[in-house]
Amino acid sequence: MDPASSLKDARPTPFWLEDPGRPEPLAALVGDTHCDLLVVGGGYAGLWTALVAKERDPSLDVVLVEGHETGWAASGRNGGFCAASLTHGFGNGLQRWPGELTQLEKLGAANLQAIEDTLGRYGIDCDWERTGELDVATEPYQLDWLHEVAEQVAPYGVGLTVLDAARVRAQVDSPTFLGGVWDKDGVAMVHPAKLAWGLRQACLGQGVRIFEHTRATALEENGSGMAVRTSYGRVFARRVALATNAFPSLLRRVRPYVVPVYDYALMTEPLDDARLASIGWRNRQGLGDSANQFHYFRLSADNRILWGGYDAVYHYRGRVRSEHDQRPETFRRLAGHFFRTFPQLEGVRFTHAWGGAIDTCTRFAAFYGTAHRGRVAYATGYTGLGVGATRFGAETVLDLLAGERTERTELRMVRERPLPFPPEPFRWAGIELTKWSLDRADRHAGRRNLWLKAMDRLGFGFDS
């Protein structure tokens, strides 16, 4: 079967956002309003910031403005992997903050547990499954990488179960899987849009005032506070938390540090019992392969397979546009990779195909900062691992706005910034050369060329 034929009925929209539980949109802000804390952005980062702020101080008047609808962007389009890692994986953390890694791992584990506790406290039903993640090797050289990681993490209190080819295929059966490591506790699977909508309802229940279809267009000082201009009015706030991530920051000086990179995903029709039995997957882990251009895949609550990743697409000048959400050549490529991985699923159809922008920075993990004499704070640059880390980012932003010295604000990871991306056209050329080099490394047993080695030394990264 031609893999492209599996896409003929695929809807060009994110599967998660078509859930019948999608809430009705909230009214836009018209006119002026005042508050103690304004949160700009209605994705995970903004929702967690608003909710945690109210939990810390229920008397606080919190307003959240969202340019479209809550959870509409990355928070409703991602793969639904909610990871404990705050550093975009152990290897990245070890490379950048080795002296803090034990502390960062503990904070990340506590953050993941806090998310789970929040779901229970507010009764948020988002198909939460604490099944972990299985990273698999599909080339012999990747086995050495995975074994090395398993040895490195042990002293830091992270337990990974190493599996040979037979044991991996007993978990999830693919002829391409040669081995793997299973993090059984550090990752949960979640319906990403339901998580966003549940946080929205929790915020409303705590008295947060949310205005949708209210785009923030300008930020300026106003007396002892700040003023943010919106589509039809203004918000006057004592403090402002920026959570716009892949979209241009209201702080121009932050913009060179973040580029929007487009990631793409497919969703299959539900698998019947026979097809599901042909691949096993009884423990329902999330999976990822170990290439530079990697795939991520997981089961939904109704036993569909989400299959995403591989291509990471940057558009010249970093434009975020709805037309970039569809990329047929990527969907065809992903479909071909899917059936190569699971040939026993030949004939399965894809029902949805979509893309979305990831807020990418050069160190892969979020960075933090303040502006306007501490009245404005932000966390951005999660680089595709924000489902869980945004809650930690919210706590950190609120610490910064309060001017408090906490365990979080004292971290080097919080105090230091990544390197900025160069201006165009060097930005686009550098990203394209890096993508070409990563593809070449995948085709040559992981060997990194001079360009990648130079980027490693400079601290530049590029990832989906």
Side-chain angles (χ1 to χ4, degrees):
M1 182 186 77
D2 178 5
S5 66
S6 65
L7 294 162
K8 69 175 185 177
D9 297 320
R11 293 172 57 81
T13 186
F15 167 78
W16 310 115
L17 293 178
E18 286 198 334
D19 191 274
R22 183 173 183 167
E24 291 297 317
L26 297 167
L29 173 68
V30 177
D32 295 348
T33 192
H34 294 75
C35 63
D36 296 315
L37 172 66
L38 171 64
V39 180
V40 181
Y44 296 141
L47 291 164
W48 279 120
T49 302
L51 183 58
V52 173
K54 290 294 285 186
E55 290 179 335
R56 289 185 178 190
D57 182 359
S59 70
L60 208 64
D61 183 15
V62 179
V63 168
L64 184 150
V65 295
E66 160 58 36
H68 192 74
E69 293 178 18
T70 303
W72 163 81
S75 298
R77 298 166 185 261
N78 65 82
F81 287 63
C82 187
S85 177
L86 305 175
T87 60
H88 206 282
F90 181 86
N92 192 50
L94 185 62
Q95 177 185 353
R96 299 182 188 279
W97 306 287
E100 292 182 346
L101 196 51
T102 298
Q103 184 182 14
L104 288 168
E105 290 292 326
K106 289 179 179 177
L107 287 168
N111 182 66
L112 183 61
Q113 187 59 51
I115 294 173
E116 187 169 303
D117 294 344
T118 300
L119 302 182
R121 186 161 62 252
Y122 292 101
I124 297 174
D125 179 9
C126 56
D127 303 337
W128 181 266
E129 297 181 279
R130 192 81 172 259
T131 50
E133 181 174 353
L134 181 59
D135 292 321
V136 298
T138 56
E139 297 288 344
Y141 72 90
Q142 296 169 5
L143 290 170
D144 293 336
W145 288 359
L146 292 176
H147 292 164
E148 182 179 346
V149 169
E151 293 174 359
Q152 287 176 335
V153 302
Y156 295 88
V158 180
L160 297 180
T161 302
V162 179
L163 306 175
D164 61 18
R167 293 176 67 198
V168 164
R169 294 187 62 174
Q171 292 293 324
V172 184
D173 191 12
S174 167
T176 67
F177 295 172
L178 306 180
V181 295
W182 183 5
D183 178 355
K184 293 186 177 182
D185 190 59
V187 183
M189 297 294 104
V190 66
H191 186 303
K194 284 184 177 180
L195 174 58
W197 299 333
L199 292 173
R200 172 190 191 256
Q201 186 56 46
C203 285
L204 292 171
Q206 296 301 302
V208 176
R209 293 184 285 147
I210 300 177
F211 298 96
E212 296 183 333
H213 296 284
T214 301
R215 189 168 70 92
T217 58
L219 171 73
E220 61 186 12
E221 293 189 9
N222 180 69
S224 60
M226 301 298 299
V228 172
R229 188 171 298 279
T230 68
S231 308
Y232 307 113
R234 293 173 297 177
V235 183
F236 298 95
R238 290 177 51 244
R239 297 289 183 268
V240 176
L242 299 179
T244 51
N245 296 351
F247 297 90
S249 176
L250 292 177
L251 294 171
R252 287 188 171 273
R253 71 188 193 207
V254 175
R255 295 181 186 180
Y257 292 89
V258 178
V259 298
V261 172
Y262 275 79
D263 183 50
Y264 296 91
L266 305 174
M267 185 68 93
T268 72
E269 62 190 333
L271 302 187
D272 59 29
D273 291 344
R275 280 172 165 163
L276 194 58
S278 73
I279 56 174
W281 218 337
R282 288 178 295 277
N283 288 309
R284 301 181 60 82
Q285 312 96 321
L287 272 83
D289 62 46
S290 302
N292 290 303
Q293 294 181 286
F294 62 91
H295 305 88
Y296 55 87
F297 38 116
R298 51 77 57 98
L299 290 170
S300 67
D302 60 349
N303 291 329
R304 301 167 183 264
I305 297 178
L306 178 142
W307 180 265
Y310 195 79
D311 280 350
V313 181
Y314 172 74
H315 295 276
Y316 188 70
R317 294 194 183 279
R319 295 184 176 93
V320 180
R321 299 284 187 271
S322 59
E323 56 264 32
H324 298 332
D325 294 347
Q326 292 294 304
R327 196 166 192 265
E329 60 268 41
T330 290
F331 297 143
R332 289 194 299 270
R333 185 177 297 118
L334 285 173
H337 295 172
F338 176 86
F339 290 111
R340 190 180 311 145
T341 301
F342 296 120
Q344 62 270 51
L345 296 182
E346 183 177 356
V348 165
R349 303 285 182 175
F350 294 102
T351 61
H352 296 76
W354 72 92
I358 291 172
D359 58 326
T360 302
C361 73
T362 59
R363 73 180 194 184
F364 298 171
F367 64 96
Y368 309 83
T370 61
H372 294 282
R373 291 170 285 177
R375 302 174 194 174
V376 178
Y378 60 86
T380 190
Y382 291 94
T383 318
L385 210 69
V387 180
T390 44
R391 187 193 173 279
F392 177 86
E395 294 265 21
T396 305
V397 163
L398 292 170
D399 290 349
L400 292 171
L401 286 174
E404 297 175 350
R405 294 183 62 180
T406 67
E407 182 181 11
R408 287 178 288 267
T409 62
E410 292 299 296
L411 291 167
R412 274 187 56 217
M413 186 184 76
V414 171
R415 292 185 286 106
E416 298 176 349
R417 282 188 179 184
L419 290 169
F421 289 95
E424 299 289 17
F426 305 105
R427 176 183 300 178
W428 182 86
I431 290 174
E432 289 300 305
L433 179 55
T434 300
K435 286 170 57 181
W436 177 85
S437 299
L438 290 172
D439 179 68
R440 186 177 185 277
D442 284 339
R443 298 173 189 276
H444 293 81
R447 292 190 291 273
R448 299 173 77 80
N449 63 14
L450 292 176
W451 175 260
L452 291 179
K453 290 177 180 178
M455 293 300 98
D456 291 341
R457 286 193 295 271
L458 290 172
F460 272 95
F462 183 77
D463 193 29
S464 62

